[in-house]
Amino acid sequence: MIRKILIMGDPLLIRKTEKVSSFGTPDLLELVCDLRDTQRNHQTLGLSAPQIGVPKQVMVIGTPESSKDPNSRDYVPYFTLINPSIELLTRSSCEFRESCLCIPNMTANIPRFTQVRYFGLDENGNTIQREAFGLHAQIVQHHADHVFRTLYTMRIRDFSKFGFSSSFREGQ
């Protein structure tokens, strides 16, 4: 089922999330399915439960298309990550152009670490541990931020690079 996306300013978007403790349950599988349906509908590379008003540490990342070529610069594997944690593999960061369904029609340059290792579980309770670089690392960090009550606007360093998406398309 396609769910409504919360918009910045909605207090539900930044409320404390709960860790998932039961896996493979009908409720959890329905949540993951709803996240995927909503993600596909909005054609995005990730979606987190807080974005649809569910205070759980659940996020879906990637699409079947984004996971086809692991050697591609745009490679992002297709997976569900629950109760995520992130470890930095480097202190090196760069600015990525980001947008978010919760902040429609806006975009900004956001500093993200270029290499991370993330840990968590899938919807069946299986352990996930992967290293991520580039776009893959950016997407995981963005959606982990949602799980931990942070919107990308809270990470903006240079507000001259924050604005309406259309103005950046026209100006670049």
Side-chain angles (χ1 to χ4, degrees):
M1 174 173 69
I2 297 170
R3 305 279 288 271
K4 178 184 174 199
I5 302 292
L6 300 181
I7 302 300
M8 183 174 68
D10 189 317
L12 298 178
L13 195 56
I14 56 170
R15 71 182 158 181
K16 185 169 172 48
T17 58
E18 303 168 3
K19 285 191 172 221
V20 173
S21 57
S22 298
F23 297 86
T25 66
D27 285 346
L28 180 60
L29 297 177
E30 181 179 358
L31 173 59
V32 170
C33 186
D34 287 355
L35 284 167
R36 284 290 179 197
D37 288 346
T38 305
Q39 176 200 19
R40 266 190 302 280
N41 182 66
H42 290 281
Q43 300 178 346
T44 183
L45 280 174
L47 193 66
S48 301
Q51 292 180 273
I52 60 170
V54 178
K56 299 277 185 194
Q57 294 185 11
V58 179
M59 52 199 234
V60 294
I61 302 293
T63 67
E65 296 77 27
S66 72
S67 65
K68 285 187 177 170
D69 182 4
N71 297 315
S72 166
R73 198 183 92 218
D74 296 329
Y75 171 74
V76 179
Y78 183 68
F79 64 100
T80 300
L81 188 61
I82 299 172
N83 304 338
S85 64
I86 295 179
E87 171 187 334
L88 302 181
L89 295 178
T90 179
R91 284 256 180 239
S92 173
S93 67
C94 70
E95 287 190 345
F96 290 91
R97 171 72 65 200
E98 289 193 18
S99 59
C100 181
L101 295 173
C102 298
I103 309 165
N105 305 314
M106 303 296 287
T107 187
N109 286 0
I110 305 299
R112 297 283 182 193
F113 294 101
T114 57
Q115 299 178 7
V116 297
R117 180 179 295 123
Y118 57 89
F119 307 86
L121 304 162
D122 69 12
E123 59 269 36
N124 297 307
N126 298 311
T127 300
I128 293 175
Q129 177 182 327
R130 288 194 181 113
E131 292 184 6
F133 308 89
L135 179 63
H136 178 185
Q138 174 198 6
I139 297 298
V140 169
Q141 290 171 83
H142 178 103
H143 289 286
D145 273 357
H146 277 294
V147 165
F148 297 113
R149 305 171 10 179
T150 302
L151 299 177
Y152 82 80
T153 51
M154 298 168 173
R155 295 195 180 277
I156 295 174
R157 290 185 186 158
D158 180 355
F159 279 88
S160 72
K161 296 178 182 174
F162 174 56
F164 291 101
S165 302
S166 60
S167 65
F168 282 99
R169 278 194 290 269
E170 293 165 8
Q172 293 181 345

